[in-house]
């Protein structure tokens, strides 16, 4: 049970707390009443504002709609005025542009093309909107006149600024491929940049707006003429340079002034000059200074002329490739893409046809030379054919996209040259075999025959053109091995051919040697020719090519040479037989010789002396051009004769077989040796 005092305290606390809650409740009621009043006031204000906005909207919307209509009307008026101005401007185009069109585009291309654009738009407008208007005819006339002026300007620019490329520049361009130089400096500039840009703009306008392709014909005709003249100019440069200085030149530095060139020899096409000089030298003088005749004798000065023609043609072929490449680069900027190949094909025809015709002329000359058995002229085909084959990949690349007839021109020429070259090689081999035995054409001193020297010289040229000559021979093969042509096959064909020529030559020399009645001179003749062949084969390394199919060729020639030396030595038997020991009288010292014995000794001395004098007189006029062989043969003969004569003289010099010993003992051993030493020496 709670004490009364505590209960009283708790009651007061509860009453106080209840009083506070009542005060709070009263405050909340007052606040709610105030809030309701404010809400009512706000609703009243918003209702009034909404009413005013509605009144304002009802007043503004009609005004806005009216203003929008006015703006639309204004825009329509402005557009109408603008259209009227635009239409009216077409009626002024003719008068505004007529003067400029009449004066032409020269020097004012930008302005001229702007006028042409205006005229074109006027033509389109009148055609669409007023085709019966007289203004249409007027602007059409101006458009056609302007187009003609642009065509004329295109022709004029191309004609005035297309220049022939100088031979000096072409030679530098060609030689640039073989030098470690920056090729950018060697680029040809056919047209200046400003002229090129004008030409490009005119060509594009003519294609796009002029609907005209005639300018493409104008372009290829002008550029074709310049290309052809550039190549002909190079050929003429070779002709003049060869006749004056003998060597065409080109500046060492492309940018150097053309009036102060530095002479720089161009590449020679091969060894034709050397070959023909040697052919000329040997055919006229042989190896010992004797003159003679031959099917291979070049005419006086013809070797230089042929050499110049070969150089010129080879350089013209290279020039065509370089200039054609340059022309195509220029053409791609000016001519539309789908017309480029056809235009380029037409552009190069004259120059290409000229080269092919000149090549065929060379082939024709070679064919005629073969008929005359003049094979020195055929040598021109070898360096040209080699160069054409080396250049063919570039040719094919340049001619990509051209007509088949254009692409086939070079292969056709190559085939023609290969056929002619193969014919020349085969005819040469047959000619070596069938060269007639003309007594008046045989060297009286037994020296090397012209047929031998010319045959060897011709074969030596094949060393410099092994692949070309092999291809010529392979082109005539129909066997399956020929279809799988390679360098080894070519080498074997060429080796077989050379062995055939040498075999034919050997047979012919044997036949020719029968012209000599004296077997000793016959042996000297064959010795000289065999020795010349062997030494020439070894010196020129032809022997290695021969050895591909004939391993024993060198040994065989040495055996032939030794055999002829032995045959020659037998000619001295009629001298040495007189002093040999057989059939000589045997006598005792101090015993008087009988008349028969004395007579026999006299006859032996006389026979030896007469035979020695006769042989030395005859054989002194013979020739052995090879010093080593000459000394070898002399020395061997001296040894044999000195031994026999020395023994004979020792045996009978002191024998009283005659009252006049000086009549029979005419020569000492040293004198005999000296006489033999003067053999084969026409100057002695």
């Amino acid at each position: 049970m709670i004490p009364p005092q505590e209960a009283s305290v708790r009651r007061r606390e509860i009453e106080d707390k209840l009083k506070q809650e009542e005060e709070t409740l009263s405050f909340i009621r007052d606040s709610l009443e105030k809030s309701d009043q404010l809400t009512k006031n706000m609703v009243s204000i918003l209702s009034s504002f909404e009413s005013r906005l509605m009144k304002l909207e009802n007043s503004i919307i009609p005004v806005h709609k009216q203003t929008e209509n006015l703006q639309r009307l204004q825009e329509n008026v402005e557009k109408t005025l603008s259209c009227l101005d635009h239409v009216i401007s077409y009626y002024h185009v003719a008068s505004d542009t007529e003067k400029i069109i009449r004066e032409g585009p020269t020097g004012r291309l930008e302005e001229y093309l702007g006028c042409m654009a205006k005229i074109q738009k006027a033509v389109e407008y009148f055609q669409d909107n007023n085709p019966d208007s007289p203004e249409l005819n007027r602007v059409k006339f101006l458009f056609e006149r302007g187009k003609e002026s642009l065509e004329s300007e295109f022709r004029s620019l191309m004609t005035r600024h297309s220049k022939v490329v100088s031979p000096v520049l072409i030679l530098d361009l060609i030689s640039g491929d073989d030098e470690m130089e920056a090729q950018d400096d060697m680029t040809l500039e056919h047209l200046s940049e400003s002229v090129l840009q004008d030409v490009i703009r005119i060509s594009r306008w003519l294609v796009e707006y002029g609907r005209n392709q005639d300018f493409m014909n104008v372009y290829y005709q002008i550029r074709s003429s310049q290309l052809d003249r550039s190549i002909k100019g190079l050929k003429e440069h070779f002709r003049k340079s060869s006749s004056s200085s003998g060597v065409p030149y080109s500046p060492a530095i492309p940018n150097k002034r053309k009036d102060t060139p530095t002479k720089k020899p161009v590449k020679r096409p091969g060894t034709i000059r050397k070959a023909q000089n040697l052919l000329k030298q040997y055919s006229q003088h042989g190896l010992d200074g004797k003159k003679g005749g031959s099917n291979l004798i070049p005419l006086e000065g013809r070797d230089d002329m042929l050499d110049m023609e070969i150089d010129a043609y080879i350089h013209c072929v290279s020039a065509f490739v370089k200039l054609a490449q340059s022309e195509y680069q220029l053409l791609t900027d000016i001519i539309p893409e789908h017309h480029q190949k056809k235009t380029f094909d037409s552009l190069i025809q004259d120059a290409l046809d000229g080269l092919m015709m000149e090549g065929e002329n060379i082939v024709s000359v070679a064919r005629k030379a073969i008929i005359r058995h003049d094979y020195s002229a055929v040598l021109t085909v070898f360096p040209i054919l080699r160069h054409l084959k080396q250049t063919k990949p570039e040719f094919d690349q340049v001619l990509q996209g051209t007509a088949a007839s254009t692409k086939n021109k070079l292969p056709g020429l190559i085939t023609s040259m290969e056929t002619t070259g193969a014919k020349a090689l085969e005819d040469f081999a047959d000619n070596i075999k069938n060269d007639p035995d003309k007594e008046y054409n045989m060297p009286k001193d037994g020296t090397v025959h012209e047929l031998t020297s010319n045959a060897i010289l011709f074969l030596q040229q094949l060393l410099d053109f092994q692949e070309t000559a092999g291809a010529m021979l392979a082109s005539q093969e129909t066997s399956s091995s020929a279809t799988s042509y390679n360098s080894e096959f070519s080498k074997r064909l060429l080796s077989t051919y050379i062995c055939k020529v040498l075999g034919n030559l050997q047979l012919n020399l044997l036949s020719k040697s029968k012209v000599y009645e004296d077997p000793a001179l016959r042996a000297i003749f064959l010795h000289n020719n065999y020795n010349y062949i062997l030494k020439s084969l070894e010196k020129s390394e032809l022997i290695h090519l021969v050895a591909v199919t004939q391993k024993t060729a060198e040994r065989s020639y040495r055996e032939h040479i030794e055999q002829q030396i032995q045959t020659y030595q037998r000619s001295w038997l009629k001298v040495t037989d007189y002093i040999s020991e057989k059939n000589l009288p045997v006598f005792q010292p101090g015993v008087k010789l009988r008349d028969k014995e004395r007579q026999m000794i006299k006859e032996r001395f006389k026979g030896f002396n007469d035979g020695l004098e006769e042989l030395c007189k005859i054989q002194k006029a013979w020739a052995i051009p090879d010093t080593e062989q000459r000394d070898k043969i002399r020395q061997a003969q001296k040894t044999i004769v000195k031994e026999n004569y020395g023994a004979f003289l020792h045996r009978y010099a002191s024998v009283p077989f005659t009252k006049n010993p000086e009549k029979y003992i005419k020569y000492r051993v040293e004198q005999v040796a000296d006489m033999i030493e003067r053999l084969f020496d026409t100057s002695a």
Side-chain angles (χ1 to χ4, degrees):
M1 187 172 177
I2 301 173
Q5 191 175 2
E6 290 181 5
S8 175
V9 172
R10 290 190 64 184
R11 189 169 46 253
R12 280 197 303 272
E13 289 175 354
I14 292 171
E15 290 176 351
D16 291 340
K17 192 171 184 179
L18 181 61
K19 185 178 180 179
Q20 290 177 354
E21 292 293 336
E22 288 177 349
E23 290 177 355
T24 302
L25 180 61
S26 175
F27 175 75
I28 290 172
R29 285 193 183 104
D30 292 340
S31 295
L32 285 174
E33 290 176 357
K34 289 181 180 179
S35 177
D36 288 341
Q37 185 63 42
L38 290 172
T39 300
K40 289 178 181 179
N41 292 339
M42 181 58 69
V43 168
S44 175
I45 292 170
L46 288 175
S47 297
S48 175
F49 184 70
E50 181 180 8
S51 175
R52 291 182 180 183
L53 281 177
M54 290 181 65
K55 289 180 180 179
L56 179 61
E57 182 178 353
N58 292 332
S59 300
I60 292 298
I61 286 176
V63 174
H64 174 71
K65 288 181 178 180
Q66 186 177 5
T67 303
E68 185 177 6
N69 290 334
L70 289 173
Q71 288 177 341
R72 188 178 296 111
L73 289 173
Q74 184 178 2
E75 289 176 0
N76 290 337
V77 170
E78 290 177 353
K79 287 181 180 179
T80 301
L81 291 174
S82 176
C83 288
L84 286 173
D85 290 340
H86 182 67
V87 170
I88 292 171
S89 69
Y90 288 130
Y91 286 86
H92 294 289
V93 165
S95 58
D96 292 343
T97 60
E98 185 174 9
K99 180 181 178 182
I100 295 175
I101 297 303
R102 186 174 62 251
E103 292 175 352
T106 304
R108 59 199 303 178
L109 182 61
E110 185 73 28
E111 183 181 5
Y112 196 88
L113 291 177
C115 290
M116 290 298 294
K118 292 179 181 179
I119 294 171
Q120 183 182 9
K121 289 179 180 179
V123 170
E124 293 172 353
Y125 170 78
F126 288 120
Q127 284 178 336
D128 293 339
N129 298 282
N130 194 1
D132 298 328
S133 171
E135 287 295 326
L136 175 59
N137 294 330
R138 189 178 178 189
V139 291
K140 270 188 174 180
F141 173 78
L142 282 178
F143 184 81
E144 291 300 322
R145 184 172 180 178
K147 184 169 73 172
E148 291 174 1
S149 295
L150 285 172
E151 293 171 0
S152 177
E153 179 69 5
F154 182 88
R155 179 188 294 273
S156 176
L157 287 173
M158 292 301 303
T159 302
R160 284 187 288 114
H161 296 281
S162 291
K163 304 298 181 184
V164 173
V165 183
S166 71
V168 171
L169 189 56
I170 295 176
L171 288 173
D172 280 336
L173 187 67
I174 296 172
S175 63
D177 284 347
D178 304 315
E179 299 172 2
M180 300 301 292
E181 296 178 350
Q183 291 301 302
D184 293 343
D185 296 335
M186 300 302 295
T187 302
L188 290 177
E189 185 183 76
H190 295 289
L191 301 173
S192 66
E193 185 62 28
S194 60
V195 172
L196 177 61
Q197 292 305 317
D198 285 352
V199 170
I200 291 173
R201 294 193 65 185
I202 294 174
S203 69
R204 289 178 179 173
W205 188 94
L206 289 173
V207 171
E208 187 175 354
Y209 303 109
R211 305 291 189 270
N212 183 292
Q213 297 181 5
D214 292 342
F215 77 95
M216 299 180 198
N217 296 331
V218 172
Y219 177 86
Y220 90 71
Q221 288 169 1
I222 294 173
R223 294 307 308 170
S224 175
S225 174
Q226 300 304 326
L227 175 61
D228 191 41
R229 289 170 60 193
S230 296
I231 294 176
K232 288 179 178 177
L234 177 62
K235 184 178 179 181
E236 184 64 23
H237 174 75
F238 268 83
R239 183 178 290 109
K240 290 181 179 178
S241 298
S242 297
S243 62
S244 58
S245 63
V247 179
Y249 66 85
S250 65
I253 303 174
N255 293 331
K256 201 171 184 181
R257 285 173 55 88
K258 291 184 176 60
D259 56 348
T260 57
T262 301
K263 289 190 177 181
K264 181 173 70 175
V266 295
K267 282 193 169 183
R268 313 310 292 172
T271 57
I272 301 304
R273 181 186 293 275
K274 175 185 72 177
Q276 295 192 345
N277 285 339
L278 288 172
L279 285 172
K280 184 176 178 181
Q281 172 187 342
Y282 284 118
S283 62
Q284 290 181 347
H285 303 293
L287 291 176
D288 64 339
K290 298 294 186 295
K291 291 189 176 181
S294 170
N295 288 331
L296 290 177
I297 299 178
L299 299 175
E300 182 68 31
R302 193 182 70 178
D303 51 351
D304 292 332
M305 182 60 67
L306 284 174
D307 198 34
M308 183 278 294
E309 289 178 358
I310 294 169
D311 276 0
Y313 187 74
I314 285 176
H315 282 81
C316 285
V317 169
S318 296
F320 172 82
V321 173
K322 292 299 178 185
L323 292 176
Q325 288 173 342
S326 180
E327 287 292 345
Y328 189 76
Q329 291 173 358
L330 178 65
L331 177 142
T332 54
D333 291 331
I334 298 173
I335 304 300
E337 184 176 358
H338 54 287
H339 292 285
Q340 289 173 1
K341 295 295 183 182
K342 182 179 179 181
T343 304
F344 180 69
D345 196 341
S346 301
L347 189 155
I348 62 173
Q349 284 303 314
D350 286 348
L352 182 59
D353 286 344
L355 283 177
M356 296 301 106
M357 185 179 298
E358 190 172 349
E360 289 295 346
N361 289 340
I362 292 171
V363 173
S364 177
V365 170
R367 289 196 186 110
K368 293 177 182 177
I370 295 171
I371 295 173
R372 299 193 308 270
H373 303 299
D374 177 7
Y375 299 99
S376 61
V378 178
L379 294 174
T380 59
V381 173
F382 286 85
I384 292 174
L385 178 58
R386 180 173 66 181
H387 185 71
L388 289 179
K389 292 183 120 181
Q390 290 172 345
T391 313
K392 187 175 181 297
E394 286 186 274
F395 246 98
D396 293 342
Q397 185 177 6
V398 169
L399 299 183
Q400 272 186 338
T402 58
S405 58
T406 302
K407 293 177 182 176
N408 292 334
K409 286 181 180 179
L410 180 64
L413 179 59
I414 289 175
T415 300
S416 180
M417 285 192 169
E418 282 188 334
T419 303
T420 302
K423 171 69 173 171
L425 292 175
E426 291 303 321
D427 280 18
F428 179 79
D430 293 340
N431 190 61
I432 292 296
K433 181 179 180 179
N434 301 318
D435 187 70
D437 301 329
K438 297 178 181 178
E439 185 174 350
Y440 65 84
N441 196 35
M442 293 293 289
K444 295 180 180 181
D445 56 3
T447 189
V448 177
H449 197 280
E450 279 184 293
L451 183 69
T452 303
S453 61
N454 287 333
I456 293 298
L457 284 168
F458 187 87
L459 292 179
Q460 285 174 347
Q461 304 318 301
L462 303 185
L463 284 174
D464 297 308
F465 304 99
Q466 291 185 46
E467 188 174 342
T468 303
M472 286 178 177
L473 296 170
S475 68
Q476 305 305 303
E477 292 288 322
T478 56
S479 63
S480 58
S481 59
T483 58
S484 57
Y485 170 75
N486 54 49
S487 59
E488 187 61 31
F489 176 72
S490 168
K491 196 171 185 179
R492 292 190 65 83
L493 275 180
L494 190 55
S495 175
T496 302
Y497 172 77
I498 292 174
C499 291
K500 177 182 177 181
V501 172
L502 292 175
N504 290 350
L505 177 60
Q506 187 171 341
L507 290 173
N508 200 321
L509 290 173
L510 283 170
S511 177
K512 289 182 184 299
S513 68
K514 295 175 183 177
V515 171
Y516 299 112
E517 296 180 0
D518 190 334
L521 181 55
R522 189 181 308 151
I524 290 297
F525 171 76
L526 290 175
H527 164 273
N528 284 334
N529 282 272
Y530 291 155
N531 183 65
Y532 177 84
I533 293 171
L534 178 60
K535 291 293 179 67
S536 298
L537 292 178
E538 292 175 335
K539 186 177 181 180
S540 65
E541 298 184 2
L542 270 171
I543 194 69
H544 300 308
L545 197 52
V546 170
V548 172
T549 54
Q550 193 170 338
K551 305 291 185 183
T552 61
E554 184 175 1
R555 185 180 68 189
S556 177
Y557 274 111
R558 294 195 187 281
E559 290 173 354
H560 287 320
I561 293 169
E562 190 59 36
Q563 181 182 354
Q564 298 309 318
I565 291 176
Q566 293 174 7
T567 301
Y568 162 75
Q569 288 175 341
R570 284 198 288 272
S571 69
W572 280 83
L573 290 176
K574 64 181 180 180
V575 176
T576 56
D577 277 352
Y578 282 107
I579 56 176
S580 62
E581 292 188 7
K582 63 181 180 178
N583 300 325
L584 283 175
V586 179
F587 59 90
Q588 297 294 328
V591 178
K592 185 178 179 180
L593 295 175
R594 290 176 295 177
D595 290 343
K596 183 179 180 181
E597 293 173 336
R598 286 197 299 271
Q599 185 61 33
M600 183 179 292
I601 295 172
K602 289 178 182 178
E603 288 176 356
R604 296 302 174 92
F605 268 108
K606 186 176 187 305
F608 173 79
N609 292 336
D610 291 346
L612 176 66
E613 290 170 358
E614 181 185 0
L615 280 185
C616 288
K617 180 180 179 181
I618 293 173
Q619 295 185 8
K620 185 176 72 171
W622 297 354
I624 299 180
D626 189 317
T627 305
E628 182 182 347
Q629 287 290 314
R630 184 168 64 236
D631 292 343
K632 175 184 175 182
I633 293 173
R634 282 174 177 170
Q635 188 59 43
Q637 205 57 53
K638 277 194 298 184
T639 301
I640 296 172
V641 176
K642 282 173 66 178
E643 287 180 358
N644 283 272
Y645 184 62
F648 180 76
L649 198 60
H650 177 73
R651 188 169 187 176
Y652 293 105
S654 59
V655 175
F657 66 92
T658 179
K659 294 180 180 179
N660 300 308
E662 67 278 357
K663 179 180 178 181
Y664 297 98
I665 308 175
K666 295 173 65 174
Y667 303 105
R668 299 188 306 277
V669 174
E670 291 75 13
Q671 288 177 310
V672 172
D674 186 59
M675 291 172 69
I676 296 174
E677 185 65 31
R678 290 197 294 271
L679 296 178
F680 318 116
D681 187 359
T682 57
S683 64

